[in-house]
Amino acid sequence: MKSKAAILWEVNTPWSVEETEIDDPRDNEVLIRLASSGLCHSDDHCVKNDLPTNLPVIGGHEGAGVVEAVGSGVRRLKVGDHVVMAFIPSCGHCRWCASGMSQLCDYGAVIMEGYPITDGKPRVHARGEGLRQLSLLGTFAPYTVVHEDSCIKIDDDIPLELASLVGCGVATGFGAAVNRAQVGPGDTVVVVGTGGVGSSAVQGARIAGAEVIVAVDPFEYRREQAKLLGATHAVASMEDAMPLVTELTRGVMADKTIMAASLMSGDMLMPLMLLTRKGGRACLTSVAPPSVLNADVVLVDVILSQKEIVGNVFGGCNPHADLPRLLSMYKRGLLKLDELATHRYPLEQINQGYEDLLAGRTMRGLVLFD
């Protein structure tokens, strides 16, 4: 069938929206008609080559829509089902899935390759060439063919345009606070970077019962929006956060810190750890280029103050269990998605959407499809 998509042909070039040809779904695959796709900073990292990606690729890894067709062998989904797509699929039987850590599924080793799990052959074509699909999804398109292991069935009464957000950013940020940093009632929490992921970490900390949540972001708009989502204080930098957290905690410092800036460099770890109290935990959620091999830290402080540093992928979430749970929290008014999705664009304006994101004018932008 004919469709269209936003394609990255070369690094450091704009997304190119053009006509594509999509194959029918094959074994264990489904054709999805998308309602929306989130504009995540990670896609721009592919453009800038901070996150090396095989090209050409259809961008997008946050999507939700309706199943239009199913291939042979599909067991869990049927035509008409509403689904949200997870940027890391889960097979259900590798060591990590079987241990309850499906965010570390072995499928993760091939998601940046961009070709289908089933046979490694492209399903989408343009200019006579096979296209890769970012995170095996390629949601910058009104239609996509994906493996059923990338899809989670959701209730029909969930607004599909908002559901797409939980497929990456919301789950990653919420889980950074709740699962990886393990924020608890009464905690003081510092969240560095309050875009789509960081503001979701703010929400996770609020829902987990944190007493003080300090949002750190250079953009005033995002600082103000973070307050609407649960931050009790907001400052422009970690340098500004230091005296504030010192005063708020009488010198104890933050129980939990979360690094959610779009891109992390080695010199950002030391101030984060100095904001973290003795016995506290720092969660690293940002993308770091593979070229970053060293990070600054006062090693004796980490050792003798018994501080913890933990990584984070997908918020430590198990998508088939946790994404419906997040959407249930949205229905009950606990998790705010309407306030997070601040801007909407047609696919043809996707480059404008990323200009707005990089300028700090949005929290999370959405591409909406007809």
Side-chain angles (χ1 to χ4, degrees):
M1 62 176 289
K2 299 286 186 182
S3 184
K4 59 182 177 178
I7 305 166
L8 183 66
W9 293 94
E10 298 179 16
V11 297
N12 295 311
T13 62
W15 295 100
S16 176
V17 179
E18 51 195 90
E19 185 177 271
T20 59
E21 183 79 29
I22 304 179
D23 296 341
D24 292 334
R26 300 182 191 175
D27 293 349
N28 304 112
E29 294 177 344
V30 293
L31 172 68
I32 306 294
R33 173 172 53 84
L34 282 93
S36 65
S37 175
L39 298 180
C40 181
H41 214 132
S42 295
D43 298 274
D44 189 67
H45 290 319
C46 297
V47 173
K48 303 293 199 305
N49 207 34
D50 296 321
L51 193 62
T53 307
N54 291 302
L55 303 177
V57 65
I58 300 173
H61 60 280
E62 289 184 344
V66 179
V67 177
E68 290 278 293
V70 299
S72 62
V74 172
R75 303 179 305 258
R76 295 185 295 99
L77 300 172
K78 63 182 185 305
V79 172
D81 281 348
H82 288 205
V83 297
V84 62
M85 285 174 274
F87 85 97
I88 297 179
S90 52
C91 69
H93 54 76
C94 70
R95 173 182 175 180
W96 316 108
C97 286
S99 302
M101 297 184 288
S102 57
Q103 72 276 7
L104 298 177
C105 177
D106 283 341
Y107 279 157
V110 300
I111 62 172
M112 297 308 289
E113 180 65 25
Y115 286 144
I117 297 167
T118 306
D119 58 10
K121 297 178 181 179
R123 300 290 184 266
V124 191
H125 312 266
R127 304 185 191 179
E129 189 170 345
L131 303 176
R132 302 170 191 267
Q133 295 168 245
L134 192 66
S135 290
L136 308 179
L137 300 177
T139 60
F140 290 169
Y143 289 90
T144 187
V145 170
V146 300
H147 199 282
E148 67 171 330
D149 288 347
S150 294
C151 299
I152 294 92
K153 186 179 184 303
I154 61 174
D155 293 341
D156 291 353
D157 61 348
I158 298 290
L160 281 171
E161 71 172 60
L162 296 176
S164 62
L165 297 176
V166 306
C168 174
V170 170
T172 299
F174 180 92
V178 175
N179 297 329
R180 302 299 294 145
Q182 296 180 355
V183 173
D187 276 353
T188 294
V189 180
V190 176
V191 179
V192 181
T194 58
V197 172
S199 57
S200 297
V202 167
Q203 293 207 67
R206 168 178 55 80
I207 293 170
E211 180 180 354
V212 174
I213 304 170
V214 179
V216 179
D217 198 285
F219 295 108
E220 182 179 1
Y221 171 73
R222 288 183 179 162
R223 296 198 298 272
E224 293 305 311
Q225 289 296 118
K227 290 180 181 179
L228 295 178
L229 296 172
T232 58
H233 302 75
V235 294
S237 67
M238 286 191 281
E239 182 180 9
D240 292 340
M242 192 69 67
L244 174 63
V245 175
T246 300
E247 179 184 357
L248 291 171
T249 64
R250 299 178 182 177
V252 173
M253 307 311 286
D255 301 288
K256 309 293 165 57
T257 57
I258 299 168
M259 175 57 69
S262 62
L263 196 67
M264 186 174 179
S265 55
D267 60 355
M268 296 168 73
L269 182 59
M270 184 184 295
L272 186 75
M273 297 311 298
L274 294 177
L275 283 165
T276 309
R277 68 160 169 82
K278 292 188 290 185
R281 175 175 287 199
C283 173
L284 308 185
T285 296
S286 306
V287 167
S291 58
V292 177
L293 301 179
N294 299 292
D296 299 333
V297 67
V298 181
L299 194 56
V300 68
D301 173 57
V302 174
I303 296 169
L304 296 185
S305 294
Q306 203 168 296
K307 298 181 181 181
E308 298 179 359
I309 302 171
V310 298
N312 176 32
V313 59
F314 215 160
C317 292
N318 292 304
H320 288 279
D322 290 330
L323 301 195
R325 185 167 64 102
L326 289 169
L327 292 170
S328 178
M329 283 190 277
Y330 164 73
K331 287 203 293 185
R332 288 184 282 130
L334 289 173
L335 185 67
K336 298 179 179 181
L337 298 181
D338 299 270
E339 295 85 348
L340 180 61
T342 55
H343 292 69
R344 290 158 171 79
Y345 308 89
L347 182 61
E348 289 72 18
Q349 292 181 12
I350 189 168
N351 291 302
Q352 179 62 53
Y354 274 104
E355 285 183 24
D356 292 343
L357 183 152
L358 296 173
R361 293 189 287 264
T362 67
M363 296 298 281
R364 198 51 139 209
L366 285 173
V367 168
L368 299 186
F369 301 107
D370 296 332

